[in-house]
Amino acid sequence: MDTEEIVRTFVEYYEDRGHHRITGSTLLPPPGDPVLFTTSGMHPLTPHLEGRPHPLGSRLVNVQRCLRTTDLEEVGDPTHLTVFEMLGTWSLGDYEGPQSLDWGYGLLTEGFGVDPGRLHATVFGGDDRTGPDTASLELWEKHGVPVELTVEDNWWSNGPTGPCGPDSEIFLWTGDTPPRSTPTGDDRWVEVWNHVMMRHRRLGDGSLVPLPQRNVDTGLGLERLASLLQGRTSVFECDVLAPWRRLVPPLWPLDEPSLRLVSDHLRSAVVVIGDGVRPANTGRGYVLRRLVRRVLTTLWRDDPSRGLGDLPQELVRHTLDHFRQTLDPDEPRRVLLEEERRFRRLLERGRQVLARPRFRGPLDEEDFHYLHDTHGLPRDLVLGLRPQ
């Protein structure tokens, strides 16, 4: 299945079970949401998870583009992307967790053809505040899926306060041997789907109170699922990233982790620009700036003459089209080139500043603050400019 067929199969499966498709939002969260970017499909639905009726009913399904800055340091491995699409389903006070897991098992094994013997689940094992999730455990035992009980790994929260609850995660075996061990014991078990039983709200003092309704919120990464269904070894080899895989290596010869980082960060930058963000020193603009500068630092490590002006127009257009963004492809290129020029100037100024006698020895916190506040040189850039 290509990604379009996966999306169609997913949405139609849940529509057949009474879910209404809602339109995914941009990467920018709704007003009042404290996060910089939409990190999951539940963000735009927070008021409805807390009890406000949704105009389309209590069973919903959608495809939402997301950005997770927490995954930046993970990019380069086989499974993490900065910008990705999340397939999601919701029960807003309707059915409970076991029904959600039962449908999820059916879609994976029948709709997508996954061998049940390659599945493993994890379930919340309980702590001093909340008992174990026995209903999910019994559902998996009914299907013959092995289960591992955990505590921290199977409790989902949207920050220190707010909606939260136990979850059950579904893993798929990716090794070339028969499945072995458990998801916490062998990283060849790759998480593909998380079903959150969102029943509680955590207060500022850490205590839990019941939400007005018992919800189920599920999330399934599209690119990760596509790579697994297509028999690929990483998300960077699935069909939606194939143009990057084809066009970037001849342009910039890179080792595998660097190729993944450059492709991911440039693709993510195009999507962020397409949603209206521009480089800045704070907030969303700084995330975009950091993505671009990480690309340039990687490219220039081997060849300082490399530049983003060589980025094929086809990749920009393909990315905007895939995410259904109407921006003229020339605009992301303009923004990227301007940010490249700005970064080159900053690097040159940084080298001159760091050549001063004051900064030739070890730097302390006062030095880092001075370099940032006076010269606009962030810590990571300073560390990158100094000999290791």
Side-chain angles (χ1 to χ4, degrees):
M1 289 187 176
D2 63 23
T3 51
E4 292 300 319
E5 188 177 359
I6 291 170
V7 169
R8 185 168 58 252
T9 300
F10 179 85
V11 172
E12 290 177 355
Y13 180 88
Y14 280 96
E15 287 178 333
D16 289 345
R17 287 154 182 79
H19 293 66
H20 289 84
R21 181 170 184 174
I22 55 176
T23 302
S25 70
T26 71
L27 287 174
L28 309 188
D33 196 311
V35 300
L36 290 177
F37 292 98
T38 298
T39 61
S40 68
M42 64 82 62
H43 271 136
L45 293 172
T46 300
H48 307 290
L49 292 164
E50 295 186 337
R52 182 190 301 174
H54 193 283
L56 293 180
S58 60
R59 297 184 180 188
L60 307 173
V61 59
N62 90 336
V63 183
Q64 172 65 51
R65 59 177 172 266
C66 304
L67 185 152
R68 292 186 180 172
T69 56
T70 54
D71 288 345
L72 277 180
E73 301 301 330
E74 304 293 335
V75 171
D77 73 4
T79 61
H80 286 88
L81 295 167
T82 306
V83 167
F84 60 96
E85 289 185 284
M86 182 73 79
L87 306 175
T89 66
W90 291 270
S91 164
L92 304 177
D94 193 328
Y95 56 84
E96 298 257 359
Q99 178 65 81
S100 180
L101 294 172
D102 191 52
W103 281 337
Y105 176 83
L107 176 58
L108 287 174
T109 57
E110 299 172 19
F112 293 139
V114 173
D115 178 359
R118 296 175 62 205
L119 295 177
H120 203 301
T122 60
V123 168
F124 181 66
D127 58 18
D128 55 1
R129 296 174 304 175
T130 308
D133 183 5
T134 56
S136 295
L137 177 61
E138 291 171 359
L139 182 283
W140 289 125
E141 289 176 341
K142 182 185 80 170
H143 285 298
V145 174
V147 176
E148 180 178 21
L149 296 174
T150 81
V151 179
E152 290 85 358
D153 289 346
N154 283 104
W155 184 270
W156 187 93
S157 62
N158 190 33
T161 61
C164 59
D167 66 50
S168 180
E169 299 175 354
I170 306 173
F171 291 78
L172 181 62
W173 178 253
T174 62
D176 53 9
T177 66
R180 61 181 62 169
S181 188
T182 66
T184 62
D186 194 317
D187 59 12
R188 287 175 293 180
W189 287 109
V190 174
E191 179 195 344
V192 293
W193 205 346
N194 190 11
H195 292 239
V196 181
M197 293 39 133
M198 200 175 294
R199 305 164 182 163
H200 309 278
R201 178 186 288 113
R202 180 181 284 124
L203 304 180
D205 62 2
S207 62
L208 299 177
V209 297
L211 285 172
Q213 62 191 26
R214 293 164 68 91
N215 310 292
V216 182
D217 166 21
T218 86
L220 175 65
L222 174 59
E223 295 87 351
R224 185 178 296 185
L225 176 64
S227 66
L228 294 171
L229 295 180
Q230 293 165 13
R232 306 301 183 183
T233 58
S234 83
V235 291
F236 295 93
E237 296 175 2
C238 74
D239 63 306
V240 76
L241 281 113
W244 292 86
R245 195 87 192 174
R246 173 169 52 86
L247 294 176
V248 171
L251 181 63
W252 302 313
L254 298 163
D255 59 46
E256 184 63 26
S258 297
L259 171 61
R260 293 172 178 176
L261 184 147
V262 167
S263 298
D264 168 86
H265 283 15
L266 282 176
R267 178 175 179 264
S268 299
V270 170
V271 181
V272 172
I273 294 168
D275 274 350
V277 178
R278 297 296 178 267
N281 289 327
T282 59
R284 298 184 182 104
Y286 183 70
V287 174
L288 173 57
R289 174 160 285 167
R290 188 177 176 202
L291 287 171
V292 178
R293 290 180 176 181
R294 281 167 62 94
V295 167
L296 292 169
T297 300
T298 302
L299 292 179
W300 293 343
R301 183 177 58 214
D302 297 327
D303 185 353
S305 69
R306 292 170 173 170
L308 299 183
D310 297 328
L311 181 66
Q313 187 84 339
E314 176 184 339
L315 293 179
V316 178
R317 187 178 302 278
H318 172 269
T319 301
L320 293 173
D321 288 347
H322 177 77
F323 286 94
R324 297 166 294 283
Q325 296 173 304
T326 58
L327 192 67
D328 186 322
D330 287 337
E331 177 63 8
R333 291 174 59 83
R334 184 195 67 78
V335 173
L336 292 172
L337 289 174
E338 175 56 32
E339 187 60 20
E340 178 182 334
R341 287 190 288 269
R342 185 188 299 272
F343 191 43
R344 283 191 185 275
R345 292 195 298 267
L346 181 62
L347 286 177
E348 182 56 36
R349 185 169 74 249
R351 292 188 182 97
Q352 294 173 0
V353 171
L354 292 175
R356 297 174 184 174
R358 170 181 173 177
F359 304 116
R360 289 177 184 168
L363 301 181
D364 56 26
E365 288 302 313
E366 182 179 347
D367 293 324
F368 284 116
H369 285 305
Y370 171 81
L371 290 167
H372 181 272
D373 296 343
T374 305
H375 298 283
L377 301 173
R379 179 188 294 261
D380 54 353
L381 178 62
V382 171
L383 294 174
L385 289 171
R386 287 170 61 84
Q388 301 299 313

